[in-house]
Amino acid sequence: MYKLENYSNKEITHLLRSIAAVHQLKGKNRFRTIAYENAADAVEHLSREIKDVWEEGKIYQVPGIGEIIGSSLNELFKQGRSKHFDSILAQVPTPVFELMKVRSIGPKRAYKLVTILGLDHSDNIFTDLKKAGEEGKIAEIENFGKKSEQEIIAAINLYRQRSAKADRMPIPYAKRIADEVINYLKNHPQVMRVDALGSLRRWEATIGDVDLAVQVKREKLNGKSYKNIIDYFIKYPKKIKVENAGENKASIIVSPNIRIDLRIQEEAGYGSMLQYFTGSKAHNIKLREHALAEGFSLNEYGLKKIRSPSTSLRTSPKSPPQRKGGDPRNNSQIMEFSNEHRLYEFVDLQYIPPEIREGTNEIELAQKNQIPKLVEVADIKGDLHVHSSYNLQPSHDLGENTYEEMLKKAKELKYQYLGFAEHNPKTSGLNEKEIIEIMKKRYLEIEKIRDAEIKVKCFIGLEADILPDGSLALPEKAIDYVDYLVVSVHSAFNLNVKAMTERVLKALEYPKVKALGHPTGRLLGKREGFELDWERIFNFCARKNIALEINSWPQRLDLPDTLAREGLRHEVKYIINTDAHATQEMEGMRYGVSVARRGWCGRSDIINTLNYSAFKKWLNNKS
Ligand code: DGT
Ligand code: CA
Ligand code: CA
Ligand code: ZN
């Protein structure tokens, strides 16, 4: 029987794809196949959990979910199974669905492999199939051959590697889940504050598990036990399972399958704990070494003096933080810190923001007071990559909201300007003349509101596909009707480095190109980014005054942070955009900003921190 465990978007997506596959294999109704595939795509791209949407009674608002699929999902969420789904799934052996999780094996091939090789066990399907391959049995199947046998073995290996890396969750999803837990905890009368720790506090692009710190109100505690709070935590409504519950820490698994580690501390030692469990491990190792050189040992409770500093003698004696008589866990004196800033200060370091605590060279630079001031959300003056619902017959998806609605949202976000960048009109089914006409009409449409709207200015952009040969999917004459272009790769991801680099550079040569959209094309947990000769790209963009985009879309967060830092050495500028397809998604700017911060970017490295007139000048002065 088809197994479901946690009703996550990932599971529901696979379920819907499996049903589409049955319809396809049984060849009865092409429209059903398409309907289920569309629904699967919609759930996969949902920015929230489908089950939460269902709980709010809004499941029919998800595009692609109509009466039949909606009522079956309703039954599934309510009762754990859906008769309708089950009856369809029963028509095909379950291992087929399991095998379809390997992306390169489609339903038809999966079905053939399972039925011809007689692979009956879902649980061992990958082991069994690999074994069959190694014995040459796949090659013997009609239309398969030696080459596909090898490809299938390689695909299984890759799939297993990826699954072993476990499902790290893109931070926007993890943060949403964490915020719900944080709000729940804050409702407890003994809880004074709650903070993220670990990778979540460092805003890493993907999160393994969520770590949280709770500060308790001492006066409200009876004795020293934190039991009340632990008990409250493990009763969290969306909990699937309690992993462990101790005196001052506990771990639970929360729907849809993410672990939450909780630690409790009183105010006096809260800063030490925050520092210690924010990590990263690499940062903490270096910080410990540094503290040792200053004569202190560092642990999760604070600093302990072990001897006089060997080398750098403190020139001015600092006021030590409040000292407590012996720590109950240790006889010698430990200095606790209620505040993280003071801990760094105490070991003669400039404060280091969590985003850059990755153990690169932040400690060395903090010693020299050279940690830059990182860019902040409040510095951002506009979003230049948003998709409206204006129908220019785009090559990819349209957005959900009108120009006016998006401008209104921009105003709410206190932006000075907004740039519309729908996808270019599709190139099949439209000739050049028609495309130019469409672009002109759109231009005039925006021109109208551009004058009407006084508070937030707007720019007319476009996201143009970079075709495999590096040309743009847009007639050159149509470029007359935009202020700027964002150019992006949306297809043919498998070119080698050299070809890909040439392709991108060629596209960047077009007039009015001001940004390279989601530069690596990565999709977190799904598709690795492609390689480019970054040195060449960075230098070209710096010279030509073209910005690299830092795309805030949850599954992208692209350019990745490490590359962002590398680009700074070449004096590249970045533009942080949300790629929003709905007004609500325009709120995702913080995620792109966190990538930039992790890439050590300051305000001046980000081009859309410029005010309106300076930004307009930048748009127009492409050399
Ligand atoms: P993640 O969960 O894989 O996204 O990454 P982190 O950095 O959140 O790692 P995690 O959850 O294992 O640990 C949280 C932080 O606690 C980590 O950044 C460093 C700190 N830490 C300090 N000492 C230890 C230790 O002995 N074990 C672990 N696991 N973490 C420690
Ligand atoms: Ca963690
Ligand atoms: Ca953890
Ligand atoms: Zn795009």
Side-chain angles (χ1 to χ4, degrees):
M1 191 149 101
Y2 191 97
K3 262 192 254 167
L4 284 162
E5 279 172 3
N6 52 32
Y7 308 102
S8 62
N9 286 359
K10 194 174 162 194
E11 266 194 14
I12 301 297
T13 301
H14 185 254
L15 172 75
L16 296 169
R17 278 215 177 108
S18 300
I19 296 174
V22 178
H23 286 303
Q24 188 192 348
L25 290 166
K26 297 292 160 184
K28 280 189 201 134
N29 189 330
R30 211 169 74 80
F31 295 105
R32 292 234 172 106
T33 310
I34 294 170
Y36 276 95
E37 267 167 8
N38 285 344
D41 287 347
V43 173
E44 182 168 39
H45 293 122
L46 219 54
S47 56
R48 309 183 47 214
E49 285 300 310
I50 180 81
K51 193 156 181 228
D52 293 345
V53 175
W54 168 77
E55 263 164 18
E56 288 165 21
K58 293 182 180 160
I59 197 159
Y60 292 106
Q61 289 176 17
V62 176
I65 295 195
E67 187 44 45
I68 298 180
I69 299 180
S71 61
S72 304
L73 285 175
N74 185 34
E75 197 186 335
L76 179 73
F77 291 142
K78 234 182 177 150
Q79 299 166 12
R81 311 264 354 150
S82 145
K83 275 198 200 114
H84 180 65
F85 285 166
D86 284 345
S87 71
I88 301 173
L89 292 165
Q91 298 171 36
V92 165
T94 324
V96 173
F97 306 128
E98 200 55 29
L99 209 48
M100 279 168 48
K101 289 181 180 167
V102 181
R103 235 175 307 129
S104 54
I105 306 181
K108 284 188 182 158
R109 292 211 302 164
Y111 187 76
K112 255 189 155 174
L113 287 164
V114 167
T115 49
I116 294 176
L117 296 170
L119 308 172
D120 300 331
H121 300 289
S122 283
D123 292 346
N124 305 329
I125 181 74
F126 297 113
T127 315
D128 293 351
L129 182 60
K130 208 176 141 192
K131 189 158 158 269
E134 280 154 6
E135 291 165 1
K137 288 184 187 156
I138 297 178
E140 288 164 15
I141 304 174
E142 196 187 345
N143 293 333
F144 273 72
K146 207 74 213 154
K147 189 157 168 257
S148 18
E149 183 170 83
Q150 268 153 19
E151 280 166 6
I152 287 171
I153 295 175
I156 292 176
N157 288 340
L158 189 69
Y159 172 77
R160 285 184 150 174
Q161 269 170 29
R162 288 219 178 118
S163 319
K165 258 202 257 167
D167 296 333
R168 292 185 67 83
M169 210 180 250
I171 189 169
Y173 303 131
K175 180 138 184 2
R176 200 169 297 123
I177 293 167
D179 281 346
E180 286 180 19
V181 181
I182 290 173
N183 286 332
Y184 172 79
L185 288 167
K186 281 183 176 164
N187 281 333
H188 192 282
Q190 281 165 221
V191 170
M192 198 149 108
R193 58 182 282 182
V194 187
D195 288 274
L197 301 165
S199 51
L200 189 62
R201 182 156 184 251
R202 303 195 314 278
W203 294 83
E204 230 181 291
T206 62
I207 304 293
D209 66 9
V210 168
D211 305 276
L212 299 178
V214 160
Q215 185 181 318
V216 286
K217 288 185 186 154
R218 180 154 220 190
E219 65 276 17
K220 293 212 176 178
L221 284 175
N222 298 325
K224 258 209 80 139
S225 167
Y226 305 143
K227 192 166 177 305
N228 289 347
I229 299 167
I230 298 279
D231 285 349
Y232 177 71
F233 173 61
I234 64 178
K235 281 194 206 117
Y236 181 62
K238 287 188 181 170
K239 160 210 83 180
I240 295 174
K241 173 167 155 207
V242 177
E243 289 271 283
N244 58 65
E247 249 170 56
N248 61 351
K249 58 183 185 187
S251 302
I252 59 174
I253 310 290
V254 155
S255 169
N257 200 20
I258 189 156
R259 183 187 154 107
I260 318 265
D261 288 341
L262 182 80
R263 285 170 190 277
I264 305 178
Q265 183 63 271
E266 287 167 39
E267 186 178 358
Y270 193 71
S272 315
M273 156 152 94
L274 211 52
Q275 193 294 312
Y276 193 82
F277 291 104
T278 294
S280 67
K281 273 179 205 151
H283 173 80
N284 283 357
I285 289 170
K286 292 200 171 169
L287 183 64
R288 253 194 316 267
E289 281 167 9
H290 171 79
L292 273 178
E294 300 251 320
F296 297 93
S297 75
L298 174 69
N299 67 21
E300 67 176 285
Y301 302 107
L303 288 169
K304 202 165 77 178
K305 192 166 166 75
I306 45 172
R307 57 177 163 70
S308 303
S310 51
T311 45
S312 74
L313 276 169
R314 273 154 220 281
T315 42
S316 62
K318 290 216 174 72
S319 59
Q322 73 249 52
R323 284 166 195 259
K324 259 193 13 177
D327 185 282
R329 287 154 292 243
N330 197 318
N331 282 330
S332 47
Q333 279 211 329
I334 192 146
M335 286 172 275
E336 291 188 310
F337 292 81
S338 61
N339 173 321
E340 217 184 21
H341 284 76
R342 294 190 60 196
L343 195 159
Y344 281 95
E345 188 190 355
F346 192 82
V347 289
D348 280 333
L349 290 178
Q350 187 187 356
Y351 179 71
I352 303 172
E355 290 94 330
I356 57 172
R357 296 185 199 166
E358 292 297 339
T360 58
N361 59 347
E362 69 273 14
I363 306 264
E364 289 93 310
L365 292 175
Q367 268 176 290
K368 296 187 268 183
N369 225 27
Q370 285 173 4
I371 299 288
K373 181 161 169 25
L374 304 177
V375 63
E376 291 171 13
V377 180
D379 296 329
I380 302 293
K381 302 286 185 346
D383 189 345
L384 283 300
H385 183 172
V386 301
H387 296 258
S388 81
S389 59
Y390 182 84
N391 192 350
L392 41 51
Q393 303 190 48
S395 54
H396 307 273
D397 43 352
L398 270 177
E400 287 171 23
N401 297 95
T402 63
Y403 290 135
E404 284 88 351
E405 286 164 347
M406 296 195 108
L407 281 166
K408 194 166 150 249
K409 185 71 188 183
K411 195 168 157 187
E412 250 174 72
L413 294 168
K414 303 197 165 65
Y415 291 156
Q416 294 180 6
Y417 46 91
L418 183 66
F420 298 113
E422 285 84 44
H423 290 286
N424 57 263
K426 59 184 185 204
T427 47
S428 60
L430 292 172
N431 64 34
E432 286 208 355
K433 209 168 141 242
E434 287 165 331
I435 293 176
I436 294 166
E437 242 349 273
I438 289 172
M439 291 293 295
K440 185 173 174 186
K441 202 168 145 225
R442 169 177 179 261
Y443 176 86
L444 296 172
E445 184 74 25
I446 306 179
E447 275 288 290
K448 275 192 264 168
I449 48 172
R450 153 134 93 178
D451 291 335
E453 186 65 42
I454 32 167
K455 287 273 164 50
V456 178
K457 308 279 185 188
C458 62
F459 291 110
I460 306 174
L462 194 79
E463 182 179 18
D465 289 337
I466 303 178
L467 298 173
D469 70 354
S471 58
L472 295 185
L474 189 75
E476 284 222 42
K477 277 208 186 106
I479 301 179
D480 288 351
Y481 301 106
V482 297
D483 300 326
Y484 69 96
L485 292 174
V486 177
V487 295
S488 314
V489 171
H490 291 117
S491 64
F493 297 100
N494 295 330
L495 305 187
N496 65 38
V497 184
K498 188 157 185 295
M500 197 57 114
T501 306
E502 298 294 341
R503 172 186 181 185
V504 168
L505 288 174
K506 183 172 162 193
L508 295 176
E509 294 273 9
Y510 278 78
K512 296 192 189 171
V513 172
K514 293 305 291 181
L516 175 59
H518 41 75
T520 77
R522 77 170 174 182
L523 287 180
L524 294 170
K526 270 197 172 165
R527 182 172 75 209
E528 302 287 330
F530 47 76
E531 300 276 332
L532 287 170
D533 181 341
W534 289 107
E535 179 116 2
R536 279 182 74 192
I537 300 284
F538 288 146
N539 287 335
F540 185 91
C541 289
R543 190 157 42 89
K544 296 276 193 163
N545 221 357
I546 295 172
L548 287 174
E549 182 179 67
I550 293 179
N551 187 299
S552 315
W553 187 256
Q555 286 184 306
R556 292 193 185 275
L557 302 179
D558 181 15
L559 201 64
D561 49 25
T562 46
L563 275 171
R565 188 174 186 195
E566 210 175 305
L568 291 184
R569 285 203 294 272
H570 302 262
E571 288 171 37
V572 169
K573 299 285 181 210
Y574 299 104
I575 188 161
I576 309 178
N577 292 323
T578 62
D579 204 348
H581 286 61
T583 48
Q584 203 198 351
E585 290 166 3
M586 290 167 67
E587 290 167 13
M589 187 59 84
R590 178 62 177 89
Y591 295 106
V593 170
S594 68
V595 173
R597 289 172 63 85
R598 290 179 54 83
W600 291 66
C601 295
R603 183 178 153 170
S604 62
D605 301 311
I606 309 298
I607 210 73
N608 50 331
T609 61
L610 293 177
N611 66 27
Y612 170 71
S613 58
F615 184 82
K616 191 173 174 187
K617 232 159 127 189
W618 177 79
L619 266 192
N620 292 331
N621 79 348
K622 188 185 165 193
S623 50

